[in-house]
Amino acid sequence: VQLQASGGGSVQAGGSLRLSCAASGRTFSGYTVGWFRQIPENEREFVAAFRWSDRSTYYATSVKGRFTISRDNAKNTVHLQMNSLKPEETAVYYCAAGPNLIVSSIPSALRYNSWGQGTQVTVSS
């Protein structure tokens, strides 16, 4: 599956952005779609994931209550609504897809075999 991420930008602390991850080539059916973020010289950090089969959602502790991941089935797209953004969340955000991931694997970037190109999110103080 090929992924196209969009929606990044610059906001002030406390602001909101919505990222989108659109699939092409096939649908997300049977996949887990995750969002990760990365700053230079750091590993990719798990942010949130949506498991298409049962609509389960998963979040990193640091974003719970502020970020919401959801799907648009008709558009074969996963959205990440990010509210109350913090300056330390400035990073390149990537969407990824992995087939039939078990719960324990969901936060691991190594389990995802398709990646989008990344979109920059900048939060200023």
Side-chain angles (χ1 to χ4, degrees):
V1 60
Q2 296 175 323
L3 306 178
Q4 179 71 38
S6 61
S10 297
V11 295
Q12 291 190 329
S16 299
L17 284 173
R18 189 176 82 155
L19 306 183
S20 298
C21 180
S24 60
R26 60 155 294 160
T27 69
F28 277 134
S29 178
Y31 278 80
T32 298
V33 181
W35 284 97
F36 292 78
R37 60 192 179 192
Q38 187 173 28
I39 58 176
E41 302 181 353
N42 280 30
E43 294 183 354
R44 289 185 183 182
E45 175 192 21
F46 172 74
V47 176
F50 186 99
R51 196 159 61 178
W52 208 262
S53 60
D54 60 6
R55 303 186 184 187
S56 296
T57 58
Y58 305 88
Y59 297 95
T61 301
S62 62
V63 308
K64 280 182 181 178
R66 298 185 298 118
F67 290 14
T68 303
I69 191 168
S70 62
R71 79 176 191 183
D72 183 333
N73 198 38
K75 296 182 178 180
N76 209 30
T77 298
V78 171
H79 300 293
L80 181 68
Q81 178 66 41
M82 305 186 296
N83 298 330
S84 302
L85 281 161
K86 304 175 182 180
E88 56 264 36
E89 294 179 310
T90 294
V92 177
Y93 283 68
Y94 296 90
C95 66
N100 301 320
L101 296 185
I102 59 175
V103 174
S104 59
S105 295
I106 287 173
S108 173
L110 295 175
R111 301 299 183 183
Y112 294 76
N113 56 13
S114 297
W115 289 84
Q117 81 283 11
T119 185
Q120 177 70 44
V121 171
T122 301
V123 186
S124 58
S125 56

